[in-house]
Amino acid sequence: METPQWRRRLKPSPAPTRSHERPKAEQSSRGEIFVIDDDAAVRDTLSMVLKAAGYFTAVIDKHPHMKPDAEFNWDEKLSGSGKNPSLFREHLEQLLKAAADAKKPFFINANITDPHRPFVSSEQGAAQKANPKKVAKRDADGEVKSFKPEEVTVPAFLEDIPEVRREVAQYYTSVRRFDASFGGAMAALKAAGREADTIVVFMSDHGMSFPF
């Protein structure tokens, strides 16, 4: 049975945040509204504009959601580090070096996929690891100290029952892993000597995906 429209629209979606990269397009099936002008057939994405201006452009994770490839013509695309702080930093360091070797300014779309589901130590995550088809697509998980259910505060809009408390603890642990990834990214910028001359734009997809 198809999910009712009202139910689908209540689910958090990251699409509005990513839509800033594609300013000229029709309304998408996800419901976000893009800016439309008289020349909507010409779609100048941020990566296209900056690359044409001489920038080295690259993306870490989430690039399968940015289509078509001709409009998101990255110089380099890396995957698999969105839930792995140490690998995420390695990827960013790799791209910073590539930009330096090319002697170009850079635009790097660095996507940390925490705290998107599956959460740390969740049943959903375990099921994906057990599925060969999912393993090939899944990020390599990084290790992080987990919150215990008794350590967390359950948000007021959720019932404070054991099952919910356990999942909120998993969510908070995923946020902790996100913090480690973001901290590593900032450290990589500093180590490369680019901390003072880099503009960091921080955006979030959506809030916590509860109770869905």
Side-chain angles (χ1 to χ4, degrees):
M1 181 177 179
E2 185 179 2
T3 303
Q5 286 287 338
W6 65 266
R7 173 75 175 185
R8 289 206 297 266
R9 289 171 183 166
L10 285 174
K11 293 182 179 180
S13 169
T17 299
R18 284 198 295 272
S19 69
H20 78 283
E21 292 225 1
R22 188 174 180 172
K24 301 177 182 179
E26 61 279 356
Q27 184 172 352
S28 83
S29 61
R30 289 179 179 269
E32 75 270 23
I33 299 175
F34 296 86
V35 176
I36 302 174
D37 63 14
D38 294 333
D39 192 19
V42 180
R43 298 170 179 172
D44 295 330
T45 62
L46 187 56
S47 56
M48 290 175 65
V49 171
L50 292 178
K51 189 171 183 177
Y55 279 69
F56 170 83
T57 65
V59 59
I60 302 175
D61 285 302
K62 291 291 186 180
H63 47 80
H65 297 282
M66 304 177 201
K67 296 293 182 180
D69 289 340
E71 295 177 15
F72 292 92
N73 54 341
W74 309 101
D75 290 310
E76 288 198 37
K77 297 188 289 188
L78 300 177
S79 299
S81 60
K83 293 180 181 289
N84 188 316
S86 60
L87 183 58
F88 191 81
R89 176 171 177 171
E90 287 179 22
H91 277 175
L92 186 57
E93 289 172 340
Q94 177 182 332
L95 296 177
L96 291 172
K97 183 178 185 303
D101 290 345
K103 295 181 172 55
K104 291 182 177 182
F106 59 86
F107 167 60
I108 300 174
N109 185 325
N111 296 283
I112 302 170
T113 52
D114 278 320
H116 196 291
R117 291 178 183 272
F119 301 146
V120 175
S121 302
S122 66
E123 293 179 1
Q124 181 186 17
Q128 286 192 8
K129 288 180 180 179
N131 186 334
K133 294 182 179 179
K134 294 286 187 179
V135 169
K137 299 179 180 180
R138 185 177 165 77
D139 292 346
D141 286 350
E143 298 297 325
V144 66
K145 182 181 178 181
S146 295
F147 282 101
K148 298 176 182 178
E150 61 270 20
E151 294 176 325
V152 304
T153 298
V154 176
F157 64 88
L158 297 174
E159 291 188 75
D160 191 353
I161 58 178
E163 292 82 359
V164 172
R165 181 171 282 276
R166 181 174 64 250
E167 191 168 39
V168 169
Q170 294 167 352
Y171 171 78
Y172 286 168
T173 302
S174 296
V175 172
R176 172 178 277 171
R177 189 167 62 187
F178 166 88
D179 287 344
S181 293
F182 185 70
M186 296 300 97
L189 277 175
K190 185 175 183 179
R194 304 307 304 267
E195 181 183 40
D197 63 357
T198 299
I199 298 173
V200 177
V201 180
F202 185 100
M203 292 183 293
S204 174
D205 279 358
H206 46 65
M208 61 174 62
S209 54
F210 292 104
F212 306 108

